[in-house]
Amino acid sequence: MAAASTRYILICSGKGGVGKTTLTANLGIALAKQGARTAVLDADFGLRNLDLLLGLENRIVYTAQEVLSESCRLEQALVKHKQEPNLALLPAGNPRMLEWLQPEDMQKIAAMLGEHFDYVLIDAPAGIEGGFKNAMAAAREAIVVTTPEVSAVRDADRVIGLLNSEGVKPIQLVLNRVRPKMMANQEMLAVSDVTDILALPLLGLVLEDEQVIVSTNRGEPLTLNGNGSPAARAYTNVARRLQGEDVPLIDPSKERQGIRATIGRLMQTKLF
Amino acid sequence: MTLRDVINKLLGRQPASANTAKERLQLVLAHDRSDLNPELLQQMRREILEVVSRYVEIDLEEGDVTLETEDRVTALVANLPIRRAKLPPPPAEAAPALEANANS
Ligand SMILES: Nc1ncnc2c1ncn2[C@@H]1O[C@H](COP(=O)(O)OP(=O)(O)O)[C@@H](O)[C@H]1O
Ligand SMILES: [Mg+2]
């Protein structure tokens, strides 16, 4: 595939801890499995973690820093995933890079990656300051990750405002850590509440899933070993939708079965 | 209103928190997006009321000037119940639309 068709996708949220890095790792593996040559770029120089979630932390020799200072070639810094060789990580450099890194530097790195990959996924730092703006400069489109909580949605809204003003598009939404039971009890913002408020198309819906934690313990993203858990299926489906496949979204209220779920649905009936 | 809301109301329970969350978010985002500081908004509110009450008598208790947002578009919404039009009629440059809305 020619460099012109490479997709540069920023994965961002505003608020920290909502699941950006987890999504980047799982999406990277899923895309690679589907045959796309995929690079994941850790743009969170302050608090890098992408290497750890991918289980690649012990194989890092060079980082984006050495690539930029031309003390190594891009190929030397890229860490290829053993099980999924279509996936490579470009690790973040030393946190002190934040002092001199400019948006142009990130654009340069992204352009270099674009020569070799179909997808460049950029794991953005939290916040809306310099680090985020650097990461945004490398992207053409964006996935905004949020959870159904007021603070996360508010911060997502801020980020969407910045993405809009920079002309980054399309912007799509991944709603993470959805708890069907709480939603059924109307103790959590509904999916439509969040999509209405943020006015973004929904690219994926990821349930709260303990297996996410187990997978981070091991450094093996859920999408690596089949689709055994709800979150694994969700991440795989996000990848398929990105590739243009029409995969229906899950309905959180149908994720629960039994009499309690039926009552929960009944209670949600709109009367007037 | 859903069945749950009705039951909660009948039992004197608090409404489910998702609704509260949605309403609070919509309000705070209207402000975030407009980038208007509260002081400026307050001043604008006062001046709008002042201008309008030059032409019609408005119910200050019921009246409200707020920011609302939908589809990432923020609108300034003035809801000013009119008691009656003021006499004598406003000068020539007055906006006729305001009179047309008077429900006196
Ligand atoms: N769907 C999920 N279910 C359960 N835990 C999750 C889920 N998504 C993320 N987490 C957990 O949330 C925490 C923050 O995730 P992370 O991807 O590091 O967020 P960010 O990169 O946005 O700061 C991690 O401990 C991760 O295991
Ligand atoms: Mg992160």
Side-chain angles (χ1 to χ4, degrees), chain A residues 17 19-22 44 47 49-50 123-126:
Chain A
K20 292 178 293 297
T21 306
T22 309
D44 194 349
L47 302 164
N49 269 328
L50 191 52
D123 185 20

Side-chain angles (χ1 to χ4, degrees), chain B residues 72-83:
Chain B
R72 305 199 63 82
V73 178
T74 301
L76 184 73
V77 179
N79 181 4
L80 307 172
I82 296 170
R83 286 224 192 93

Side-chain angles (χ1 to χ4, degrees), chain B residues 15-69:
Chain B
S17 63
N19 241 336
T20 318
K22 188 180 181 187
E23 280 164 15
R24 292 178 62 221
L25 257 175
Q26 279 170 328
L27 204 64
V28 79
L29 289 183
H31 286 258
D32 284 358
R33 287 172 184 171
S34 72
D35 252 342
L36 270 177
N37 72 47
E39 206 177 313
L40 223 65
L41 188 65
Q42 197 55 42
Q43 188 184 333
M44 186 162 69
R45 212 174 256 148
R46 260 199 314 273
E47 288 176 20
I48 288 172
L49 290 180
E50 207 180 285
V51 170
V52 175
S53 52
R54 248 185 260 155
Y55 300 93
V56 287
E57 207 170 288
I58 49 181
D59 191 339
L60 286 176
E61 294 289 291
E62 296 291 310
D64 208 1
V65 180
T66 52
L67 291 175
E68 282 177 21
T69 173

Side-chain angles (χ1 to χ4, degrees), chain A residues 154 157 187 197 271-272, chain B residues 1 4 17-18 32-33 72:
Chain A
R154 184 191 197 176
D157 192 75
E187 299 294 359
I197 288 172
L271 297 178
F272 47 86
Chain B
M1 200 174 248
R4 180 183 309 277
S17 63
D32 284 358
R33 287 172 184 171
R72 305 199 63 82

